[in-house]
Amino acid sequence: MPARKTRLRSNLITRLTYSLCVCLLGIVTACAPVGPEFVKPEVELPGEWSTHGDGLLESSPIQQPRWWLVFNDLVLNKLVETAWQNNNSLEIAGLRILEARAQLGIAQGSQYPQSQLAAGDATYVSPADNLGGGSNFWQYGIGASASWEFDFWGKFRRGIEAADAAYLSSVAARNQALVLLTAQVVNTYTTIRVNEEQLRFAHENVGIQQRSYDITAVLYRNGSDSELDMQQAHTLLLSTQATIPGYEVALLQARNALNTLLGEPPGTIDALLSENHGIPQLPETVEVGIPADLLRRRPDVRQAELNALAQNARVGLAQADL
């Protein structure tokens, strides 16, 4: 009987211990992490534009995310694709995403045993043979240990929340860099085409004004015109000729800037720009979307929100450390 009572008492203690461990684990799992919860502010956005443009502006969802395609310029499309592939700043932003994703993996790994140790050894024992028979043998040993900190205060959960927000923020930062890069490529390309047209018009005007000056000079020498008319024609000619170097310098600067955006050495895109397609022309109608779309499509607004979420989670992380 005493042995049976001891066995029953031992089973009861084992069950109570198991139940207590399960209850503690449930409490730890259900415990809410400390720190403030992030609350996304509610913003009421108008569904229509404040100015309707005398009936020329119509609010409708935008259907063309690649907005530069409306110019229908094959050279511009090629330049944008090249910039996406080669731009150094965009590549750095992409590497930031990989870095943030690795940090997120580290934060997620903190939920599991934070320290693991495994060790093993093998020893060949060859004692002195005093019995006349072989007594050599191998001796093996293996061991393992792990330590795990319970996330009672939600420290690790807050860390994951902050790392996840930082990861999504890096994605938004790359999207922002992509938007700025595309806009800058299109703007620089347009500047190049405008300078080319201005330079072409300047050369044409020089040719016209040169003929006008030659005519007035002939008339002056023959006594059919005054010297004032000849000098005015000469001044106009020199004034137009003086604008040409400025256009050439501006064109060279714009081409070098475009090469930098594309991650290429100077002169690389000259062959691509050799065919003058003129200034890109806008279509008669352009999709602008509705006011709410302007905020939803802005990566910098999304990035700011995610940064606020990450900082809010770090407040809880600091409180858990306290």
Side-chain angles (χ1 to χ4, degrees), residues 219-240:
L219 293 176
Y220 170 71
R221 288 194 297 267
N222 293 333
S224 300
D225 204 349
S226 64
E227 183 181 2
L228 177 61
D229 292 337
M230 183 189 68
Q231 294 298 337
Q232 287 179 340
H234 191 209
T235 300
L236 183 60
L237 172 62
L238 295 178
S239 177
T240 303

Side-chain angles (χ1 to χ4, degrees), residues 95-111 156 158-168 170 314 317:
L95 294 174
R96 296 295 184 193
I97 295 178
L98 299 179
E99 179 185 7
R101 188 169 64 182
Q103 293 292 341
L104 176 59
I106 294 175
Q108 290 175 339
S110 62
Q111 300 179 101
F156 300 136
R158 288 300 188 189
I160 294 173
E161 182 181 351
D164 184 58
Y167 167 64
L168 296 177
S170 65
R314 293 188 180 103
L317 181 61

Side-chain angles (χ1 to χ4, degrees), residues 7 34 37 51 78 94 121 137 143 145 148 172 189 205 270 293:
R7 192 181 307 110
V34 298
E37 295 294 335
T51 57
K78 178 64 176 177
D121 65 272
F137 62 93
S145 65
W148 185 16
Y189 175 76
N205 289 335
D270 290 347
D293 289 339

Side-chain angles (χ1 to χ4, degrees), residues 46-236:
E48 298 288 339
W49 294 96
S50 58
T51 57
H52 296 280
D54 298 330
L56 300 178
L57 185 62
E58 179 182 354
S59 295
S60 59
I62 190 170
Q63 302 294 333
Q64 178 57 274
R66 297 183 172 232
W67 51 270
W68 62 93
L69 297 179
V70 300
F71 296 110
N72 197 24
D73 192 316
L74 298 179
V75 175
L76 177 59
N77 298 342
K78 178 64 176 177
L79 292 174
V80 172
E81 292 177 1
T82 303
W84 284 11
Q85 296 174 0
N86 300 340
N87 184 263
N88 296 328
S89 299
L90 192 61
E91 182 179 1
I92 292 174
L95 294 174
R96 296 295 184 193
I97 295 178
L98 299 179
E99 179 185 7
R101 188 169 64 182
Q103 293 292 341
L104 176 59
I106 294 175
Q108 290 175 339
S110 62
Q111 300 179 101
Y112 307 100
Q114 291 85 18
S115 176
Q116 304 94 27
L117 176 63
D121 65 272
T123 305
Y124 183 71
V125 180
S126 180
D129 190 0
N130 298 324
L131 302 178
S135 58
N136 300 334
F137 62 93
W138 282 94
Q139 181 177 338
Y140 300 94
I142 186 170
S145 65
S147 62
W148 185 16
E149 178 184 351
F150 286 119
D151 193 17
F152 188 81
W153 302 109
K155 171 183 176 181
F156 300 136
R157 281 172 284 174
R158 288 300 188 189
I160 294 173
E161 182 181 351
D164 184 58
Y167 167 64
L168 296 177
S169 175
S170 65
V171 175
R174 183 187 181 277
N175 292 336
Q176 173 69 359
L178 193 63
V179 169
L180 295 177
L181 173 63
T182 303
Q184 193 63 33
V185 169
V186 175
N187 181 65
T188 307
Y189 175 76
T190 304
T191 301
I192 291 175
R193 292 311 189 190
V194 169
N195 286 329
E196 288 176 346
E197 288 297 304
Q198 290 176 330
L199 187 60
R200 183 174 65 84
F201 288 145
H203 282 294
E204 291 179 356
N205 289 335
V206 166
I208 295 173
Q209 293 167 8
Q210 181 66 51
R211 290 193 297 270
S212 177
Y213 169 70
D214 293 340
I215 292 173
T216 56
V218 171
L219 293 176
Y220 170 71
R221 288 194 297 267
N222 293 333
S224 300
D225 204 349
S226 64
E227 183 181 2
L228 177 61
D229 292 337
M230 183 189 68
Q231 294 298 337
Q232 287 179 340
H234 191 209
T235 300
L236 183 60

Side-chain angles (χ1 to χ4, degrees), residues 39-51:
V39 179
K40 184 177 180 180
E42 296 293 336
V43 181
E44 294 184 1
L45 299 174
E48 298 288 339
W49 294 96
S50 58
T51 57

